[in-house]
Amino acid sequence: MWKFGSRHKKKASAPVVETSGPTISSTSAPIPVSRTPTESTVSTFEALSTQVKQASLAPQSESSSSKLRLRSKSPSADRSLDPLGLSVLYEPDTDPSLDIVFVHGLGGTSRATWCHNRDPDYFWPQKWLPSEPDIQSARILSFGYNAQYNAPGPAPISGISDFAKDLLFAMKYAKNDRLEELAIGERPIIFVVHSMGGLVVKKAYILGQNNNDYEEIIASTKAILFLATPHRGTYLAELLNKILSVSIFNHTAKQYVAELSNTSQALEDLNEQFRYIAPKLHIMSFYETLPTRIGPKKITVLEKTSSILGYPSETSKPLNADHNHVCKYETIQDSNYISVRNALKTLVSTLRASGQRALGAQGKEQLKDLECSLAIFESVSEDLTFFRKRWTPGTCEWILSNSEYTRWVAGDSGSKVLWLNALPATGKSILSSFIINTLVDEGKLCAYYFFRFGDRTKQSLSACFRSLAFQIAEQMPAFRKALYEMSNTGIKLEKSDARTIWQKIFISILFKLKVNDTLYWVIDGLDETDSPRLLVELIQLVSTSTLAIQVILVSRQSRELVSAFERLAAAAPMQSLTIAGNKQDIRRYVEQEIEFMHASLPLKDQVVQKLLERANGNFLWVNLALTEILQCFTPADIEETLEGLPSGMEELYQRMESLILKSTRARDKDLTRTILTWASCSRRPLTPPELEQALKPEFPVLLDLSFTIHQVCGQFVVINSSKQIVMVHQTAREYLVKSTKSALAILPADAHAKMFAKCIYSLQNAGQQRGSKTNSYGPLTADTETFLHYAATSWPYHLDLSCATNEILLFIAKFLRSNSVLTWISSLASYGELKVLVHASRTLSTLARRRRKFDIGSNPLLHRLEDLELVDLWATDLIKLLGKFGPNLTTEPASIYKQIPPFCPADSMVHKQFAMDKSVLRVNGISNTSWDDSLAKISVCSSAQAVMIICSDSHCAILTSVGQIIFYNTTTLEAVHKLCHGERVSTIAFSHRGDRLVSSGFRTTKVWSVAAGKITLQMPGPASTRALKISFSADDNSLLIGCADRSIRIAKLGSLEPAWSLIDSRLLKETNALDMKVANSPSCISFSPEATHVAVAYRGFPLSVWSINPPEFVGRCQRNSTTSKSLWTPVDRVVWHPFSGDLVGIYLGGSIFKWHPYRGTHQELQASASIVSCSPNGKFFVTSDGSGTIRLYDFDHFDLVYQLSCENVVNDISFSPDSRRIYDLLGQFCNVWEPNALLRLEDTEEEPRDSEVGSELGSLPTAAISEVVAEVRAPITAMSDQTQGNYFVVGDDSGVASIIDKSKPGSTTQLFRSASMLTVEHLHWGEDGRHIACAELGGKISVQLVTATGSNNEWTVKSVFDTKMEVEVGGIQQILLNTDCTILLVADQITTTLFSLRAKLDSLSRALPAELSGPRWIKHPTDPDLVLAFSSQFVSIRKWKDLTQIGLFDIEDLEMKPLVGKEQSPLLQTGWSNDGTGDDNERVKIRVLKTMGTHMIFQYTITARGVRYDKTNIFDLSSFKSSQEIAARQDFATGHIKAVFLPEEIASTIEMPLGILSKNRFVYLNKQFSVCSTRLNTVNGQAAPQEHFFLPRDWINSDCLGLGRLLSDGTFVVPHNGELAFIRSSVSLEW
C-alpha cells in the first residue's frame, strides 16, 4: 500500500458521528457500545458510561471471550493500525483517468469506516470498486485523520479547519512508497465522504480557493458524494462533549465535536461560504432513513434536512440504512452499495464527457510546450463549431441505430476502421460533427480532424496527425507526458513529414500505451487531403495498437480510395458504410427552415413534398433551393420557383449563374469574376479585410464588402463562421472551373497568374511605401496590411500553378532583382514562415525548367537567358539561406539586409546584389565562390579510425576502432561526451527515446546515459560469441542482440541482475535441407525499427527474415530472374525502412535491392554500392561505393536524385534525425553534408498541386540529378600570427604548414609538409618574425627559420631545430618561444620542457606542483626574462632560463556561475575521455589566454558532476610585477591579482573572449555566437554591449573558433573550411 503521512496523532476537525468507535480489549465483556454521538438523552449517555464501567470490572465468560476472539481476527479490529494521511488503495495498470478519494467521519478511520463489521474482506473501496467496468480506470485513495473523540488524555485543539489543511497538504505532497509524486491535481477528483468527512472536504475546498499552492487540486475537484453529512449539525454533539468531559476513562471534550453542534457558528460560516462555490461541483447527497442503535435504544442521528444541502443542482437520495451503515455494505448486491456505485459511475461518465481533463500547472505547461512543438496555431474546434451550427436538431440520429456504426462504437474486438462514404453535398461533414458531439457527450476519448477543400493549410496530412496528437495529449496524461519527454529530446515535430510523425508519435508512443479506455478518431474529408492513399495505408497500423483505437474515415467515393480501402480490409479490421441522403433528415431540415415562413400549412406541405421529391439526397441542393423560396413574397412566386428549380446540382448552378449575369451591371462583372477567383483559387480562405486589400487598386472603395459579395456573387460565395470568404461547396468550385463556359468561368492557370502578380505587386508596393518613410530595415508587418501575410506566404503557390510565360518570367525576375526580395525574406522570418523558402526554391526551379522546355524550337533571340539564370541562382540561394542562416533569420529577421549577404559566396545572387563593397561588414579570404553542400568536417579521433555512426533525435554517436564513443550535438555538431568502453566495440545503438546508448564489446555490454555520459548498467557480453547487431526493444525495457553464432539473445533491463539469455533456440536455425549449406556465421544482422523482426545475411545463404515474437521464419529474399541467373545472391548490407516493413540492401557485387518479406515485392537497381542507410522520414536512402561516391535515391521510385563525388572510401554513412543532413565517416573524420535535394524534396506533400491546372505540369521532366564534386579541405588545426599581424602561419590536419598574407586574403604559400603527414597540432611565430615553432601529433618538435625575399615576398625555410618527444596521455598541450627566440617551451599535461635553440645544451624538464598541473604558459607582458604559468586559481612567475619560480599569486576570483539548462554552452567540449565510472572530480580546461593592448584575457572552465562553470577574467598588465620589482622585495613574491570587474549581465553571456581594442573596448563572442563589444570602465561600470554580427552556423566549431584572432584594427581572423577568413565589421569603428 502507498501511504502518505504517519500514524501519530494529527490535528482533527469536526464532522458528525460515525459508528465505528473504540474497540473493547480482550479482557472486557462484549457490550453494545455506540461509537457516535447519538440522538438520545443524557440518561442514554449515562447508561452507556455505566455499562462501560461495569464491563471493565466484570469477569469474562467463555462465550463472550469467544466472541471477542472472533472479532479480533480482523486486522482492522484495532483501528489504530489504520493509516493516517493519504493511502493509495488501488491504482490501475494504465494511467488513471481520475482520482476517487474517500474521507471518513468522526470516530472513524481510513479503513474501518468502510468495512462491514470492520472486516477487511468487506473493504469495498479496495475490494469491489476496482472490478467495476467504468470505475476501474480510476485511482482510489483513502484519507485518514485523528478523529477519535473517545481517545483518553488531553483534548487536542484540532478543528475542522485543521483537518481540512491536513487533507490539502497530504494531497499536494503525496508520494508513493517509492517516493514518487502521486501528482494529485493532474486529473479530475471525486470525493466520497462520510459524516464529518464531508465537512472536512467542504472546508478544504474553501481554503484552497485562495491558496495558490492548492490551485491544481481545487481546479481538479469536480464532484463530492456525501454520505450522511451533517451540513446543519446535530444537537447530539453538545451531549457527546458533556459525556466525554465527565468520563471516568479520562476522556475530554473535543473542539471538532463542538463544531458539529446545530448551533455552531463554524458550521454556519462554512455553509455560507460553500454555497457560493458549490455550483462548480457535481454534488450527490445520500441520507439515512433508519435509526441507529445506541445502547438499548434506536435513534435517528441525522435528519434529512441536515444531510442535504438543498442546492438546485444537488442530487439527493435516501438509503435504507442507519448512520453507521450508509458507508458499509454486506454484499455487492446490497441495494445501498448499488445506489452509491451507480452514482459514482454517473459522476465518472459525466466528468469524462466534459472532454477536457483537469490539468495542473505541470500539465498546462506541458500542453503549452506541445502546442509550440506540434505547431498548433488554431483550435480544431473551430471547424467542428462551423459544421455543428449547420446541424438541425433531430437529424443524423439514424446513425446511432445503424448496425455497422454500433459495432464500430462497441469496439468489442479491438481496433477497427469504419469508412463512411457518400456522394458530394449529402451532409457528410454535418454527420461527422454529429458523431463527434455524440462521442464527446458519452464521455468517450475523441480526437477529430476536418480536411477542408478551400484551405490548403488544412489539407496537409502532417497537420492532421499533429492535431490528433495534441487533442489526445489534452485527454490522456500518460500520452501527454511521453510526448512531452520526446519533444524535449530535440525532435522538431513541427517540421516533420506525415510518415515521421506517424512513426514517432503514434507507433512509438500511442500504440504502446496500456490504457483501458478506447480512443475514437473521426477524420472527415479524406478525399480533400493531399495524400489520401498514404493516410489509408498508415491507418491500417492501428490494428497493432495495444490501446483500442476506433477510426471513422469520411469521404466521397473514388476509384483511388476504393482500391486503398480494399487493401486496408485485407490487412486490418475494417467496415464500410455508404450513406445515401436520409429523407427523414432532409424533411426535418426543410420543416425547420420553413417553420416561420408566412404561408399556409398546405403550401408549406407542398414545399416540403416538392423538395423531397427532387432533392435526391442532396442537402446542398435543398439549402440553395430553400434560399430562393424564402425570398419569395407570394404563393404564386413560391409555386413558380418550385416549378423552375432544376433537379441536379449542375443545373442549379447554371440557374444561379444565369441570375448573376442577368442582375449584375456590366461594370460589376469584373468584380464578380475577381471575387470568385479569390474564393475558388486562394491557397487558404481570405478574410474580408484581406480580400478588400487584394481588390485594390482596381476596386478601391467598397462600402460594405459582405453585402457586395452577396449581391454580385449570389449563393456561390459565403462568409463562414470564422469570417472567411469561401465557396458554398466544392461542387460549386468544380462547376466554375470545369463545367461552365460563361463569363464567370475560371481558368485556373490564368487565375493563379493574376493572383501571383497581385501578391508580388502588394509586396513591392508595401516595401516601397515603407522605404519612403524610414531608412530602417526590417520586415513588413501585417498589422495594418493584413493581405501582406497572405502575399508573402502564397506567391510561390500561385506561381507554381501558373503558365510559364515570358511575362511571368519577367515579372518574377524584376522582383528578384529588387530590394523587395530581402523584405519578403525578412517578413517570412518575422511571421515564422521560413519554410516557404523551400517551396519558393522548388517553384523557381520548376519555372526555369518549364520555360526552357517551351523555348525549345523557338527563336533563340527571344530566349530570356539572363532572367532564367537569375531564377536558377535565386532558387539555390533561397534553399541555402534557409539551411545556413535559418536560426539567425528567425532570431533577427533584419539580418538578411546587411549581416547575411557578406557571408554568402561571391557568385550567389544575394552576395552580388546586396553585399556592397562599401558595406561595414566584409568577409575576405574564402576562395569558394559558390555554394557547397559541406556543412562541416569534424576531426573525430587523431589516433584511430571512425568506424560507425548512429543518430538519435538530438545526438549522433561515432564509434572509433579503439572502442571510444563520442557524442555530438546534432544542432551544433559539437562534441558533448567522449566515452571509453574499455575494449574494442563491435556495435552500438540508441534507445528509441534517445536517452540511452548501448555498446557491446566481446567481454562486456554497457548502457550509457546520453545526458550524463556515464554508465547506467554494465553486464558481461554474450558468452563465447561476438555481437553483430544490438538494439533496444520497442519499449526500451530490454536489449536484443544478434550474434555471430546465429543466435538472438535478450536481456531484461528491469531485472535485478540483467543477463543475456536465448529468446528461442529455434530462431535463425533453418529446418530444411538448405541448413546444411549454412557453414558460416552471419555476415550482417539487422533488427527492424521496433525490434520485432530480424534480417540475417550470410555469405553462402540467402537473406532471411524472422519474426522474434512469435519466433518464426518469415521468408527468404530471391532475386528476379531478369536481373540474375541465380535465384539468390549473398547480401553484404541490409537495413530496414523505418515504416513500411521493406528492407533495402546491397547484393554481393554492389546492386541495390528493395524487398518486403511479407508481400514478396522485390525491386532492384544496378549499382556498385558498398554501404547503405535509410532516412528517418523514409523518403530516401543513401549509398556509398568503393570510390567514395555518395548517391541519394528516392525510396519509392528508386530514382537517383543526388550524387556527391569524394576521393576517399567511406567507412559508414547516416542521416541526421530530421533527414536534412548526411554524415559520412572517412578515416579519422566525419563530413556533414546538407544537399539542396534533401531540403527541396522534404516537404513535397505539404504543397499539393491544383488538379485543374492542366497536363502541362504533369508532362514536365523531373528535376535533373544534382551532381556535386566535394572539395573538402583539410581543416586548419593550428595558427599563429606574426607580431606585426601582417602574416599568419597555419597548420592543417594533413601536416602542411602555410603562410597567409593578410593583404592578399586567399593566397597561401606552403612552407613545409610533415614527412609523416601527421596533424600539425601547435604553431608559434616568434616575436622576431623569423622563427616558427611547430609540434606534430606524434610528438615531433621543430623550429623553422623563415625569411621573406623579393618584391613578391617569396618565403625561404630553414630548419634550425628538430627533435622527437615521448609525450604523455593527452599529447603536447602547448609550445612557446621566448622573446628573442632562443628558448622553446614544450608542455604536456604533466611536465614542461625547455630547449635551447642557440647552444647544444641538454633539455630541461620540470614537473610542476599539483596546483599548477596542466597550466597555460604566456610570456610576461613587460619582462622578457620571465614567463607566466596560469592555472584556474594561481599565476606562477618563473624565469625563462630554468623555470625557477620567483613568485606565486592567487587570482581574486568572483563567484563562478554554473552554466546549466538552456544557458549551457553549445560549445561545451570537456576535452577529457570518460570511462563512465562516475568520477565527479573537477576538470579544468583553460580555453583562452592572450595579451592584447594593456590587458591580459584569461578564460577557463571547470566541469564537475556534469555541470560546467565558466569564468572570464581580464587583468590590467600593471598587475604583473617584473623581475626587478620582485628582486627589490628581496623575498619570494606572493600576493593577489585582481581582475577587472565584469557585470554579471555581461559575464554570463560570454562564450569566448576575443580581445581588447583601443579605448578599452572588450570584444567577445556571446552564447548565440554573435561578435559583441562593450567598453571597460572600472569607475563608472561597463557600457551596454553592442552586437556587431553573428557567425553562420556552419562556421561554429570549437576547434576553429579557439584559433581565432582579433587584430588591433578590429579584424576578426578565424579558420573556416581549411581557409583563413578575415572579417571586417563595425567592431573596427570607435564608439
Side-chain angles (χ1 to χ4, degrees), residues 107-128:
T109 62
S110 59
R111 288 176 171 267
T113 290
W114 314 100
C115 299
H116 178 69
N117 286 337
R118 299 197 302 277
D119 188 338
D121 290 338
Y122 293 90
F123 188 26
W124 60 274
Q126 187 177 57
K127 300 293 184 178
W128 301 348

Side-chain angles (χ1 to χ4, degrees), residues 43-63:
S43 60
T44 303
F45 286 99
E46 291 174 346
L48 173 62
S49 301
T50 303
Q51 289 176 337
V52 171
K53 180 177 180 181
Q54 291 173 349
S56 64
L57 300 175
Q60 180 174 307
S61 67
E62 183 177 347
S63 61

Side-chain angles (χ1 to χ4, degrees), residues 67-125:
K67 291 180 182 177
L68 285 173
R69 283 196 297 271
L70 178 64
R71 292 177 65 89
S72 67
K73 290 180 180 180
S74 168
S76 290
D78 183 1
R79 295 178 307 155
S80 63
L81 298 178
D82 286 359
L84 298 177
L86 201 62
S87 303
V88 177
L89 305 181
Y90 162 77
E91 184 151 16
D93 295 334
T94 58
D95 189 68
S97 59
L98 49 81
D99 286 327
I100 301 175
V101 182
F102 286 79
V103 182
H104 65 81
L106 179 64
T109 62
S110 59
R111 288 176 171 267
T113 290
W114 314 100
C115 299
H116 178 69
N117 286 337
R118 299 197 302 277
D119 188 338
D121 290 338
Y122 293 90
F123 188 26
W124 60 274

Side-chain angles (χ1 to χ4, degrees), residues 13-17 35-38 40-42 45 48-49 106 147-151 153-159 196 234-248 250-264:
S13 288
V16 113
V17 288
R35 293 175 299 276
T36 61
T38 61
S40 65
T41 62
V42 175
F45 286 99
L48 173 62
S49 301
L106 179 64
Q148 296 302 314
Y149 64 87
N150 52 6
I157 62 172
S158 304
M196 188 177 76
T234 174
Y235 68 88
L236 295 175
E238 295 181 17
L239 298 179
L240 175 61
N241 255 344
K242 290 180 179 179
I243 293 297
L244 294 175
S245 300
V246 299
S247 170
I248 63 172
N250 197 26
H251 296 144
T252 55
K254 306 294 192 292
Q255 176 184 330
Y256 51 83
V257 174
E259 290 177 341
L260 293 177
S261 170
N262 56 358
T263 61
S264 169

Side-chain angles (χ1 to χ4, degrees), residues 589-609:
Y589 171 67
V590 174
E591 289 175 345
Q592 177 177 296
E593 291 298 309
I594 67 172
E595 180 180 358
F596 300 103
M597 185 174 71
H598 297 290
S600 65
L601 189 59
L603 182 58
K604 289 183 179 181
D605 290 340
Q606 181 185 355
V607 170
V608 172
Q609 195 59 36

Side-chain angles (χ1 to χ4, degrees), residues 360-613:
Q362 183 182 23
K364 292 176 182 177
E365 189 64 31
Q366 289 174 349
L367 276 182
K368 184 178 179 181
D369 289 347
L370 288 176
E371 192 172 29
C372 179
S373 64
L374 290 170
I376 305 298
F377 300 119
E378 60 184 48
S379 173
V380 70
S381 63
E382 293 181 3
D383 291 325
L384 176 62
T385 302
F386 172 79
F387 291 112
R388 192 65 184 154
K389 286 181 177 180
R390 282 152 180 75
W391 171 74
T392 300
T395 61
C396 302
E397 293 179 354
W398 61 267
I399 190 72
L400 302 180
S401 57
N402 180 274
S403 58
E404 298 287 348
Y405 177 80
T406 54
R407 282 198 296 272
W408 174 83
V409 171
D412 297 332
S413 57
S415 302
K416 62 171 67 75
V417 178
L418 176 61
W419 179 32
L420 299 183
N421 55 85
L423 295 173
T426 51
K428 297 185 296 295
S429 296
I430 303 297
L431 179 61
S432 295
S433 69
F434 175 80
I435 292 173
I436 295 166
N437 196 68
T438 301
L439 292 171
V440 172
D441 285 345
E442 293 175 352
K444 303 287 195 294
L445 300 182
C446 181
Y448 55 90
Y449 193 81
F450 290 87
F451 291 106
R452 303 295 296 272
F453 83 91
D455 192 343
R456 298 294 185 185
T457 63
K458 292 182 179 178
Q459 295 177 0
S460 162
L461 190 52
S462 60
C464 170
F465 287 162
R466 291 196 303 270
S467 177
L468 291 176
F470 184 73
Q471 293 176 67
I472 299 168
E474 287 182 304
Q475 302 175 68
M476 296 180 64
F479 176 70
R480 179 177 68 246
K481 180 180 179 183
L483 188 59
Y484 176 75
E485 290 174 352
M486 185 194 69
S487 67
N488 281 342
T489 62
I491 297 180
K492 295 178 174 60
L493 297 171
E494 74 277 12
K495 297 181 180 179
S496 299
D497 64 285
R499 285 184 180 273
T500 302
I501 294 173
W502 184 257
Q503 175 68 32
K504 294 286 187 184
I505 294 180
F506 296 98
I507 293 179
S508 298
I509 298 179
L510 182 66
F511 291 0
K512 296 175 184 176
L513 289 181
K514 296 179 180 179
V515 178
N516 292 327
D517 292 317
T518 298
L519 185 59
Y520 294 84
W521 293 356
V522 181
I523 301 176
D524 181 81
L526 173 62
D527 50 311
E528 304 298 339
T529 179
D530 46 28
S531 308
R533 292 184 62 183
L534 176 60
L535 175 56
V536 176
E537 174 190 333
L538 296 177
I539 283 294
Q540 74 177 27
L541 294 176
V542 299
S543 61
T544 66
S545 172
T546 304
L547 165 70
I549 303 176
Q550 308 299 102
V551 183
I552 280 185
L553 300 175
V554 186
S555 73
R556 302 184 191 183
Q557 276 195 2
S558 68
R559 289 183 180 179
E560 179 186 27
L561 285 176
V562 169
S563 174
F565 278 106
E566 286 175 350
R567 289 194 296 272
L568 173 62
M574 181 247 168
Q575 302 163 245
S576 177
L577 177 59
T578 300
I579 308 169
N582 187 278
K583 285 190 176 182
Q584 244 353 83
D585 284 353
I586 295 177
R587 175 180 290 276
R588 287 194 184 95
Y589 171 67
V590 174
E591 289 175 345
Q592 177 177 296
E593 291 298 309
I594 67 172
E595 180 180 358
F596 300 103
M597 185 174 71
H598 297 290
S600 65
L601 189 59
L603 182 58
K604 289 183 179 181
D605 290 340
Q606 181 185 355
V607 170
V608 172
Q609 195 59 36
K610 285 278 188 181
L611 292 179
L612 286 175
E613 289 173 357

Side-chain angles (χ1 to χ4, degrees), residues 1389-1610:
Q1389 289 278 31
I1390 300 175
T1391 62
T1392 300
T1393 304
L1394 296 181
F1395 294 96
S1396 173
L1397 302 183
R1398 285 190 176 177
K1400 296 293 183 179
L1401 300 176
D1402 293 336
S1403 62
L1404 170 67
S1405 294
R1406 184 183 294 273
L1408 300 182
E1411 65 270 14
L1412 291 174
S1413 179
R1416 179 72 68 89
W1417 296 87
I1418 189 170
K1419 287 179 285 188
H1420 194 285
T1422 59
D1423 194 329
D1425 296 327
L1426 300 180
V1427 63
L1428 307 179
F1430 272 78
S1431 71
S1432 60
Q1433 295 178 315
F1434 300 97
V1435 178
S1436 174
I1437 303 177
R1438 295 175 178 265
K1439 295 181 178 180
W1440 259 112
K1441 62 179 181 179
D1442 56 8
L1443 295 184
T1444 301
Q1445 182 172 255
I1446 62 173
L1448 182 65
F1449 293 80
D1450 69 306
I1451 299 173
E1452 286 192 0
D1453 206 352
L1454 299 175
E1455 180 183 359
M1456 298 180 64
K1457 302 292 184 183
L1459 297 180
V1460 295
K1462 294 183 179 180
E1463 296 182 359
Q1464 181 77 32
S1465 169
L1467 282 184
L1468 174 55
Q1469 184 173 2
T1470 61
W1472 299 275
S1473 295
N1474 185 358
D1475 60 5
T1477 58
D1479 179 18
D1480 291 330
N1481 292 333
E1482 289 187 352
R1483 293 165 176 168
V1484 180
K1485 181 175 183 179
I1486 298 175
R1487 302 180 70 198
V1488 177
L1489 180 62
K1490 63 176 70 175
T1491 300
M1492 195 166 186
T1494 59
H1495 292 81
M1496 184 178 293
I1497 303 173
F1498 175 47
Q1499 186 192 50
Y1500 64 94
T1501 63
I1502 297 178
T1503 304
R1505 299 183 180 180
V1507 179
R1508 169 182 160 183
Y1509 299 81
D1510 203 357
K1511 181 61 182 178
T1512 299
N1513 284 321
I1514 300 175
F1515 304 107
D1516 192 291
L1517 294 186
S1518 61
S1519 302
F1520 301 97
K1521 306 299 181 181
S1522 66
S1523 55
Q1524 292 83 2
E1525 292 173 310
I1526 294 174
R1529 297 174 58 174
Q1530 298 181 349
D1531 60 356
F1532 184 82
T1534 59
H1536 308 283
I1537 296 180
K1538 188 174 182 179
V1540 175
F1541 174 71
L1542 279 177
E1544 177 59 27
E1545 59 270 21
I1546 293 177
S1548 61
T1549 65
I1550 298 173
E1551 173 59 37
M1552 184 174 290
L1554 300 179
I1556 297 179
L1557 302 178
S1558 60
K1559 297 186 178 180
N1560 290 341
R1561 287 176 295 145
F1562 172 49
V1563 184
Y1564 60 94
L1565 197 66
N1566 70 9
K1567 300 296 181 185
Q1568 287 72 46
F1569 305 105
S1570 292
V1571 174
C1572 305
S1573 66
T1574 185
R1575 194 183 300 279
L1576 300 177
N1577 189 326
T1578 57
V1579 178
N1580 299 320
Q1582 276 67 31
Q1586 181 178 357
E1587 188 172 319
H1588 301 278
F1589 64 92
F1590 60 78
L1591 290 177
R1593 65 175 183 160
D1594 58 329
W1595 289 55
I1596 299 170
N1597 181 291
S1598 60
D1599 293 332
C1600 293
L1601 292 179
L1603 298 173
R1605 296 285 191 278
L1606 182 71
L1607 305 185
S1608 58
D1609 62 358

